[in-house]
Amino acid sequence: MSRTLVLGVLVAGIGASIYYYLTQPEPTPAEQLQSAAQDAGDAVSDAVESVAEQAANASDQVEQSATDLANQASEDVAALASQGQDLLNSWIEDGTLAVQNFDYDKMVASVKDSALTNDLKNRAIAILDEIKASPEVFAAKLEELRALLTQQ
């Protein structure tokens, strides 16, 4: 009995749904236009969301690239400072750079052969030229050279 009742309610529900669907009037042109406008608005909203999401992703990528470049630049500066310090240390250790012994040619050659940037090489050689031309400025120019090569 209860099975028959459940089956009857189910059939009645299906029948009511079919009746509602079949008796529903055709949408008017105004309703169709409103529906089309709603669909277009939904499509525009979806497109705006998509563009905003893509812009956010691009922004994140640009930010990451900028961070990577800044980190690389920092590492490069540190490496150059280290190379400059190594160059100074080698001059001091082998006696090329001392108040009593200033081997200009050897120092210029080692600067030219170093991995320093061309700008740093040119500036270091200019300081060495000044020391050679005026030995009395040795101490001041040596400090300037040290600061240049160690970026301090």
Side-chain angles (χ1 to χ4, degrees), residues 110-131:
S110 64
V111 168
K112 287 181 179 178
D113 292 340
S114 73
L116 298 172
T117 64
N118 286 335
D119 181 53
L120 282 177
K121 287 180 183 180
N122 292 337
R123 289 169 47 197
I125 291 171
I127 293 171
L128 292 172
D129 289 343
E130 291 176 25
I131 294 172

Side-chain angles (χ1 to χ4, degrees), residues 84-98:
Q85 186 64 52
D86 292 345
L87 193 58
L88 280 173
N89 291 343
S90 72
W91 291 341
I92 292 168
E93 287 173 12
D94 67 13
T96 304
L97 177 62

Side-chain angles (χ1 to χ4, degrees), residues 66-148:
T67 301
D68 291 346
L69 286 174
N71 289 341
Q72 183 62 45
S74 176
E75 290 171 8
D76 290 348
V77 166
L80 286 176
S82 175
Q83 291 171 2
Q85 186 64 52
D86 292 345
L87 193 58
L88 280 173
N89 291 343
S90 72
W91 291 341
I92 292 168
E93 287 173 12
D94 67 13
T96 304
L97 177 62
V99 176
Q100 308 85 353
N101 184 25
F102 178 73
D103 192 341
Y104 171 81
D105 295 328
K106 189 173 181 180
M107 292 170 71
V108 168
S110 64
V111 168
K112 287 181 179 178
D113 292 340
S114 73
L116 298 172
T117 64
N118 286 335
D119 181 53
L120 282 177
K121 287 180 183 180
N122 292 337
R123 289 169 47 197
I125 291 171
I127 293 171
L128 292 172
D129 289 343
E130 291 176 25
I131 294 172
K132 182 179 180 183
S134 301
E136 64 275 1
V137 297
F138 181 84
K141 291 300 176 178
L142 179 59
E143 182 57 32
E144 187 178 337
L145 181 63
R146 185 195 65 75
L148 172 69

Side-chain angles (χ1 to χ4, degrees), residues 4-116:
T4 307
L5 183 61
V6 170
L7 189 57
V9 170
L10 186 61
V11 169
I14 292 174
S17 297
I18 292 173
Y19 175 76
Y20 175 75
Y21 178 75
L22 292 177
T23 60
Q24 201 171 17
E26 285 289 320
T28 65
E31 290 172 334
Q32 288 176 343
L33 184 59
Q34 182 180 4
S35 176
Q38 181 64 40
D39 291 345
D42 291 345
V44 168
S45 294
D46 291 346
V48 167
E49 276 185 32
S50 176
V51 167
E53 186 177 309
Q54 289 173 0
N57 288 340
S59 174
D60 290 345
Q61 290 175 352
V62 167
E63 183 179 336
Q64 183 61 45
S65 294
T67 301
D68 291 346
L69 286 174
N71 289 341
Q72 183 62 45
S74 176
E75 290 171 8
D76 290 348
V77 166
L80 286 176
S82 175
Q83 291 171 2
Q85 186 64 52
D86 292 345
L87 193 58
L88 280 173
N89 291 343
S90 72
W91 291 341
I92 292 168
E93 287 173 12
D94 67 13
T96 304
L97 177 62
V99 176
Q100 308 85 353
N101 184 25
F102 178 73
D103 192 341
Y104 171 81
D105 295 328
K106 189 173 181 180
M107 292 170 71
V108 168
S110 64
V111 168
K112 287 181 179 178
D113 292 340
S114 73
L116 298 172

